[in-house]
Coordinates of all heavy atoms in Angstrom, one line a residue:
M1 N 12.1 21.2 0.1 CA 11.6 20.4 1.2 C 11.1 19.1 0.7 O 10.4 19.0 -0.3 CB 10.4 21.2 1.9 CG 9.9 20.4 3.1 SD 8.9 21.5 4.2 CE 8.2 20.3 5.2
C2 N 11.5 18.0 1.4 CA 11.2 16.7 0.9 C 10.2 16.0 1.9 O 10.4 15.9 3.1 CB 12.5 15.9 0.8 SG 12.3 14.3 0.1
V3 N 9.1 15.6 1.3 CA 8.2 14.8 2.1 C 8.3 13.3 1.9 O 8.3 12.9 0.8 CB 6.7 15.3 1.8 CG1 5.7 14.5 2.6 CG2 6.5 16.8 2.0
K4 N 8.6 12.6 3.0 CA 8.7 11.2 2.8 C 7.4 10.5 2.6 O 6.4 10.8 3.4 CB 9.4 10.6 4.1 CG 10.6 9.8 3.8 CD 11.1 9.2 5.1 CE 12.2 8.2 4.7 NZ 12.8 7.5 5.9
P5 N 7.3 9.7 1.6 CA 6.0 9.1 1.3 C 5.7 8.1 2.4 O 6.5 7.4 2.9 CB 6.2 8.4 0.0 CG 7.7 8.3 -0.2 CD 8.3 9.4 0.6
K6 N 4.4 8.0 2.7 CA 4.0 7.1 3.8 C 3.4 5.8 3.2 O 2.8 5.9 2.1 CB 2.9 7.8 4.6 CG 3.5 8.9 5.5 CD 2.4 9.6 6.2 CE 3.0 10.7 7.1 NZ 2.0 11.8 7.4
P7 N 3.6 4.7 3.8 CA 3.0 3.5 3.3 C 1.5 3.6 3.4 O 1.0 4.2 4.3 CB 3.6 2.4 4.3 CG 4.0 3.1 5.5 CD 4.4 4.5 5.1
F8 N 0.9 2.9 2.5 CA -0.6 2.9 2.5 C -1.0 1.5 2.0 O -0.3 0.8 1.4 CB -1.2 4.0 1.6 CG -0.6 4.1 0.3 CD1 -1.1 3.4 -0.8 CD2 0.6 4.9 0.0 CE1 -0.6 3.5 -2.1 CE2 1.1 4.9 -1.2 CZ 0.5 4.3 -2.3
S9 N -2.3 1.3 2.2 CA -2.8 0.0 1.7 C -4.1 0.1 1.0 O -5.0 0.9 1.3 CB -2.9 -1.0 2.9 OG -3.9 -0.5 3.8
Y10 N -4.2 -0.7 -0.1 CA -5.5 -0.7 -0.8 C -6.3 -1.9 -0.2 O -5.7 -2.9 0.1 CB -5.2 -1.0 -2.3 CG -4.4 0.0 -3.0 CD1 -3.0 0.0 -3.1 CD2 -5.1 1.1 -3.6 CE1 -2.4 1.0 -3.8 CE2 -4.4 2.1 -4.3 CZ -3.1 2.0 -4.4 OH -2.4 3.0 -5.1
S11 N -7.5 -1.7 -0.2 CA -8.4 -2.9 0.1 C -9.6 -2.8 -0.7 O -10.1 -1.7 -1.0 CB -8.7 -2.9 1.6 OG -9.5 -1.8 2.0
C12 N -10.1 -4.0 -1.1 CA -11.2 -4.1 -2.0 C -12.5 -4.4 -1.2 O -12.5 -5.5 -0.5 CB -11.0 -5.1 -3.1 SG -12.4 -5.3 -4.2
P13 N -13.5 -3.6 -1.2 CA -14.7 -3.9 -0.5 C -15.5 -5.1 -1.1 O -16.4 -5.7 -0.5 CB -15.5 -2.6 -0.5 CG -15.0 -1.9 -1.7 CD -13.6 -2.3 -1.9
S14 N -15.2 -5.4 -2.4 CA -16.0 -6.4 -3.1 C -15.5 -7.8 -2.8 O -16.2 -8.8 -2.9 CB -16.1 -6.1 -4.6 OG -16.6 -4.8 -4.8
C15 N -14.2 -7.9 -2.6 CA -13.6 -9.2 -2.3 C -12.6 -9.0 -1.2 O -12.5 -7.9 -0.6 CB -12.9 -9.8 -3.6 SG -11.5 -9.0 -4.2
D16 N -11.8 -10.0 -0.9 CA -10.9 -9.8 0.3 C -9.5 -9.4 -0.1 O -8.6 -9.5 0.7 CB -10.9 -11.1 1.1 CG -10.4 -12.3 0.3 OD1 -10.2 -12.1 -0.9 OD2 -10.2 -13.3 0.9
W17 N -9.3 -8.8 -1.3 CA -8.0 -8.4 -1.8 C -7.5 -7.3 -1.0 O -8.3 -6.3 -0.7 CB -8.1 -8.1 -3.3 CG -6.8 -7.7 -3.8 CD1 -5.8 -8.5 -4.2 CD2 -6.3 -6.3 -4.1 NE1 -4.7 -7.7 -4.7 CE2 -5.0 -6.4 -4.6 CE3 -6.9 -5.1 -3.9 CZ2 -4.3 -5.3 -5.0 CZ3 -6.2 -3.9 -4.3 CH2 -4.9 -4.0 -4.8
K18 N -6.3 -7.3 -0.7 CA -5.6 -6.2 0.1 C -4.2 -6.1 -0.3 O -3.5 -7.2 -0.5 CB -5.8 -6.5 1.6 CG -5.7 -5.2 2.4 CD -6.1 -5.4 3.8 CE -6.2 -4.1 4.5 NZ -6.6 -4.3 5.9
K19 N -3.7 -4.9 -0.4 CA -2.3 -4.8 -0.8 C -1.7 -3.6 -0.1 O -2.3 -2.5 -0.1 CB -2.2 -4.5 -2.3 CG -0.9 -4.1 -2.9 CD 0.0 -5.3 -3.3 CE 1.3 -4.8 -3.8 NZ 2.3 -5.9 -4.1
T20 N -0.6 -3.8 0.6 CA 0.1 -2.7 1.3 C 1.3 -2.3 0.4 O 2.0 -3.1 0.0 CB 0.5 -3.1 2.7 OG1 -0.6 -3.6 3.4 CG2 1.1 -1.9 3.4
V21 N 1.4 -1.0 0.2 CA 2.5 -0.4 -0.6 C 3.4 0.4 0.2 O 3.0 1.2 1.0 CB 1.8 0.4 -1.8 CG1 2.9 1.1 -2.6 CG2 1.0 -0.5 -2.7
F22 N 4.7 0.2 0.0 CA 5.7 1.1 0.6 C 6.4 1.9 -0.4 O 7.4 1.4 -1.0 CB 6.7 0.2 1.4 CG 6.1 -0.7 2.5 CD1 5.7 -1.9 2.2 CD2 5.9 -0.2 3.7 CE1 5.1 -2.7 3.1 CE2 5.3 -1.0 4.7 CZ 4.9 -2.2 4.4
P23 N 6.0 3.1 -0.7 CA 6.5 3.9 -1.8 C 8.0 4.2 -1.5 O 8.3 4.6 -0.4 CB 5.7 5.1 -1.9 CG 4.5 4.8 -1.0 CD 4.9 3.8 0.0
K24 N 8.9 4.1 -2.5 CA 10.3 4.4 -2.3 C 10.5 5.9 -2.6 O 11.5 6.5 -2.2 CB 11.1 3.6 -3.3 CG 11.2 2.1 -2.8 CD 12.0 1.3 -3.8 CE 12.0 -0.2 -3.4 NZ 10.6 -0.8 -3.6
S25 N 9.6 6.5 -3.4 CA 9.6 7.9 -3.6 C 8.2 8.4 -3.7 O 7.3 7.7 -3.6 CB 10.4 8.2 -4.9 OG 9.7 7.8 -6.0
D26 N 8.1 9.8 -4.0 CA 6.7 10.3 -4.2 C 6.2 10.0 -5.6 O 5.0 10.4 -5.9 CB 6.7 11.8 -3.9 CG 7.6 12.6 -4.7 OD1 8.4 11.9 -5.4 OD2 7.6 13.8 -4.6
V27 N 6.9 9.3 -6.4 CA 6.4 8.9 -7.7 C 6.1 7.4 -7.6 O 7.0 6.6 -7.3 CB 7.5 9.1 -8.8 CG1 6.9 8.6 -10.1 CG2 7.8 10.6 -8.9
L28 N 4.9 7.0 -7.8 CA 4.5 5.6 -7.7 C 4.9 4.8 -8.9 O 4.7 5.2 -10.0 CB 3.0 5.5 -7.5 CG 2.4 6.1 -6.2 CD1 0.9 5.9 -6.2 CD2 3.0 5.3 -5.0
L29 N 5.5 3.7 -8.6 CA 6.0 2.8 -9.6 C 4.9 1.8 -10.0 O 3.9 1.6 -9.2 CB 7.2 2.0 -9.2 CG 8.4 2.9 -8.7 CD1 9.4 2.0 -8.0 CD2 9.0 3.6 -9.9
P30 N 5.0 1.2 -11.2 CA 4.0 0.1 -11.5 C 4.1 -0.9 -10.3 O 5.1 -1.3 -9.9 CB 4.5 -0.5 -12.8 CG 5.3 0.6 -13.4 CD 5.9 1.4 -12.2
G31 N 2.9 -1.4 -9.9 CA 2.9 -2.3 -8.8 C 2.7 -1.6 -7.5 O 2.4 -2.2 -6.4
E32 N 2.7 -0.3 -7.5 CA 2.5 0.5 -6.3 C 1.2 1.3 -6.4 O 0.7 1.9 -5.5 CB 3.6 1.5 -6.0 CG 4.9 0.8 -5.6 CD 6.1 1.7 -5.3 OE1 6.0 2.9 -5.7 OE2 7.0 1.3 -4.7
H33 N 0.6 1.2 -7.6 CA -0.6 2.0 -7.8 C -1.7 1.1 -8.5 O -1.4 0.4 -9.4 CB -0.4 3.2 -8.6 CG -1.7 3.9 -9.0 ND1 -2.4 4.7 -8.1 CD2 -2.4 3.9 -10.1 CE1 -3.5 5.1 -8.7 NE2 -3.5 4.7 -9.9
Y34 N -2.9 1.1 -7.9 CA -3.9 0.3 -8.5 C -5.2 1.1 -8.7 O -5.7 1.8 -7.8 CB -4.3 -0.9 -7.6 CG -3.2 -1.9 -7.4 CD1 -2.2 -1.7 -6.5 CD2 -3.1 -3.0 -8.3 CE1 -1.2 -2.7 -6.3 CE2 -2.1 -3.9 -8.2 CZ -1.1 -3.7 -7.2 OH -0.1 -4.6 -7.1
A35 N -5.6 1.2 -9.9 CA -6.8 1.9 -10.2 C -8.1 1.1 -10.0 O -9.2 1.6 -9.8 CB -6.8 2.4 -11.7
C36 N -7.8 -0.2 -10.1 CA -9.0 -1.1 -9.8 C -8.4 -2.4 -9.2 O -7.2 -2.7 -9.3 CB -9.8 -1.4 -11.1 SG -8.8 -2.2 -12.4
C37 N -9.3 -3.2 -8.7 CA -8.9 -4.5 -8.0 C -8.4 -5.5 -9.0 O -9.1 -5.8 -10.0 CB -10.1 -5.0 -7.2 SG -9.8 -6.6 -6.5
P38 N -7.2 -6.0 -8.9 CA -6.7 -7.0 -9.8 C -7.4 -8.3 -9.7 O -7.2 -9.2 -10.6 CB -5.2 -7.1 -9.5 CG -5.1 -6.7 -8.1 CD -6.2 -5.7 -7.8
K39 N -8.1 -8.5 -8.6 CA -8.7 -9.8 -8.4 C -10.1 -9.8 -9.0 O -10.5 -10.8 -9.7 CB -8.8 -10.0 -6.9 CG -9.0 -11.5 -6.5 CD -8.8 -11.7 -5.0 CE -9.2 -13.1 -4.6 NZ -9.2 -13.2 -3.1
C40 N -11.0 -8.8 -8.7 CA -12.3 -8.8 -9.2 C -12.7 -7.7 -10.1 O -13.7 -7.6 -10.7 CB -13.3 -8.8 -8.0 SG -13.4 -7.3 -7.1
G41 N -11.7 -6.7 -10.2 CA -11.9 -5.6 -11.2 C -12.7 -4.5 -10.6 O -13.0 -3.5 -11.4
S42 N -13.1 -4.5 -9.4 CA -13.8 -3.4 -8.8 C -13.0 -2.1 -8.8 O -11.8 -2.1 -8.5 CB -14.2 -3.8 -7.3 OG -14.7 -2.6 -6.7
K43 N -13.7 -1.0 -9.1 CA -13.0 0.2 -9.2 C -13.2 1.1 -7.9 O -12.7 2.2 -7.8 CB -13.4 1.0 -10.4 CG -12.8 0.5 -11.7 CD -13.2 1.3 -12.9 CE -12.5 0.6 -14.1 NZ -13.0 1.2 -15.4
S44 N -13.9 0.5 -6.9 CA -14.1 1.3 -5.7 C -13.2 0.8 -4.6 O -13.6 0.2 -3.6 CB -15.6 1.2 -5.3 OG -15.9 -0.2 -5.2
L45 N -11.9 0.9 -4.8 CA -10.9 0.5 -3.8 C -10.8 1.5 -2.7 O -10.9 2.7 -2.9 CB -9.5 0.3 -4.5 CG -9.4 -0.8 -5.5 CD1 -8.0 -0.8 -6.0 CD2 -9.7 -2.2 -4.9
D46 N -10.7 0.9 -1.5 CA -10.4 1.8 -0.4 C -8.9 2.0 -0.2 O -8.1 1.1 -0.4 CB -11.0 1.2 0.9 CG -12.5 1.1 0.9 OD1 -13.1 2.0 0.3 OD2 -13.0 0.2 1.6
L47 N -8.5 3.2 0.1 CA -7.1 3.5 0.3 C -6.9 4.0 1.7 O -7.5 4.9 2.2 CB -6.7 4.6 -0.7 CG -5.2 4.9 -0.8 CD1 -4.4 3.7 -1.2 CD2 -5.0 6.0 -1.8
E48 N -6.0 3.3 2.4 CA -5.8 3.6 3.8 C -4.3 3.9 4.0 O -3.5 3.2 3.5 CB -6.1 2.4 4.7 CG -7.6 2.2 5.0 CD -7.8 1.0 5.8 OE1 -7.0 0.6 6.6 OE2 -8.8 0.3 5.6
T49 N -4.0 4.9 4.8 CA -2.6 5.1 5.2 C -2.4 4.4 6.5 O -3.4 4.2 7.3 CB -2.3 6.6 5.4 OG1 -3.3 7.2 6.2 CG2 -2.3 7.3 4.0
L50 N -1.3 3.8 6.7 CA -1.0 3.1 7.9 C -0.6 4.1 9.0 O 0.4 4.8 8.9 CB 0.2 2.1 7.7 CG -0.1 1.1 6.6 CD1 1.1 0.2 6.5 CD2 -1.3 0.3 6.9
K51 N -1.4 4.1 10.0 CA -1.1 5.0 11.1 C -0.5 4.3 12.3 O -0.9 3.2 12.6 CB -2.4 5.7 11.6 CG -3.0 6.7 10.6 CD -4.3 7.1 10.9 CE -4.9 8.0 9.8 NZ -6.4 8.2 10.0
G52 N 0.4 4.9 12.9 CA 1.0 4.4 14.1 C 1.9 3.2 13.8 O 2.2 2.4 14.7
V53 N 2.4 3.1 12.6 CA 3.3 2.0 12.3 C 4.7 2.5 12.6 O 5.2 3.4 12.0 CB 3.2 1.6 10.8 CG1 4.2 0.4 10.5 CG2 1.8 1.1 10.6
T54 N 5.4 1.8 13.4 CA 6.8 2.2 13.8 C 7.8 1.7 12.7 O 7.4 0.9 11.9 CB 7.2 1.6 15.1 OG1 7.2 0.2 15.0 CG2 6.2 2.1 16.2
K55 N 9.0 2.2 12.8 CA 10.0 1.7 11.9 C 10.2 0.2 12.0 O 10.4 -0.5 11.1 CB 11.3 2.5 12.1 CG 11.3 3.8 11.3 CD 12.7 4.3 11.2 CE 12.8 5.5 10.2 NZ 14.1 6.1 10.1
L56 N 10.2 -0.2 13.3 CA 10.4 -1.6 13.5 C 9.3 -2.4 12.9 O 9.5 -3.4 12.3 CB 10.5 -1.9 15.1 CG 10.7 -3.3 15.5 CD1 12.1 -3.7 15.0 CD2 10.6 -3.4 17.0
G57 N 8.1 -1.9 13.1 CA 6.9 -2.6 12.6 C 7.0 -2.6 11.1 O 6.7 -3.7 10.5
L58 N 7.4 -1.5 10.4 CA 7.6 -1.5 9.0 C 8.6 -2.6 8.5 O 8.3 -3.2 7.5 CB 8.0 -0.1 8.5 CG 7.0 0.9 8.3 CD1 7.6 2.2 7.8 CD2 6.0 0.4 7.3
G59 N 9.7 -2.7 9.2 CA 10.7 -3.7 8.9 C 10.1 -5.1 8.9 O 10.3 -5.9 8.0
L60 N 9.3 -5.3 9.9 CA 8.7 -6.7 10.0 C 7.7 -6.9 8.9 O 7.6 -7.9 8.3 CB 8.0 -6.8 11.4 CG 8.9 -6.9 12.6 CD1 8.1 -6.8 13.9 CD2 9.6 -8.2 12.5
L61 N 6.9 -5.8 8.6 CA 5.9 -5.9 7.5 C 6.6 -6.2 6.2 O 6.2 -7.0 5.4 CB 5.1 -4.6 7.4 CG 3.9 -4.5 8.3 CD1 3.3 -3.2 8.2 CD2 2.9 -5.6 8.0
Q62 N 7.7 -5.5 6.0 CA 8.4 -5.6 4.7 C 9.0 -7.0 4.6 O 9.0 -7.6 3.5 CB 9.5 -4.6 4.6 CG 9.0 -3.3 4.0 CD 10.0 -2.2 4.1 OE1 10.8 -2.1 5.0 NE2 9.9 -1.2 3.1
K63 N 9.4 -7.6 5.7 CA 9.9 -9.0 5.7 C 8.7 -9.9 5.3 O 8.9 -10.9 4.5 CB 10.4 -9.4 7.0 CG 11.9 -9.1 7.2 CD 12.4 -9.6 8.5 CE 13.9 -9.2 8.7 NZ 14.4 -9.6 10.0
L64 N 7.5 -9.6 5.8 CA 6.4 -10.5 5.5 C 6.0 -10.4 4.0 O 5.5 -11.3 3.4 CB 5.2 -10.0 6.3 CG 5.3 -10.4 7.8 CD1 4.1 -9.8 8.5 CD2 5.3 -11.9 8.0
F65 N 6.2 -9.2 3.4 CA 5.8 -9.0 2.0 C 6.8 -9.4 1.0 O 6.6 -9.3 -0.2 CB 5.4 -7.5 1.8 CG 4.0 -7.3 2.3 CD1 3.7 -6.8 3.6 CD2 2.9 -7.5 1.5 CE1 2.4 -6.6 4.0 CE2 1.6 -7.3 1.9 CZ 1.4 -6.8 3.2
T66 N 8.0 -9.7 1.4 CA 9.1 -10.0 0.4 C 9.5 -11.5 0.5 O 9.0 -12.2 1.4 CB 10.3 -9.2 0.6 OG1 10.7 -9.2 2.0 CG2 10.1 -7.8 0.2
Ligands
ZN1 ZN1 -11.8 -7.1 -5.5

């Protein structure tokens, strides 16, 4: 059984850094995982999954991020 990875976004409560990740597989690649904020170094990142994002919405988001 294959579970499709869901997009999620990191956000830093200490600064305004935010990053949305669209995993291509269930193995996170470099650039898809952050243990700490690359901007201020805070290790208390919030991790949110994107809820209610349609495929069309995802396509638009991916255009914005590339
Ligand atoms: Zn930060």
Side-chain angles (χ1 to χ4, degrees):
M1 186 163 165
C2 188
V3 179
K4 232 185 174 183
K6 289 174 183 158
F8 50 91
S9 61
Y10 296 94
S11 64
C12 176
S14 302
C15 67
D16 59 354
W17 180 80
K18 204 168 187 183
K19 169 92 177 173
T20 303
V21 171
F22 301 93
K24 290 178 183 69
S25 71
D26 55 355
V27 179
L28 290 178
L29 303 169
E32 292 181 342
H33 174 75
Y34 294 88
C36 61
C37 174
K39 198 171 172 185
C40 73
S42 170
K43 285 183 179 171
S44 55
L45 293 179
D46 291 331
L47 189 59
E48 282 177 33
T49 50
L50 301 181
K51 288 172 190 169
V53 179
T54 64
K55 273 197 173 178
L56 183 65
L58 274 180
L60 288 172
L61 275 175
Q62 277 172 327
K63 272 187 184 173
L64 288 175
F65 278 94
T66 50

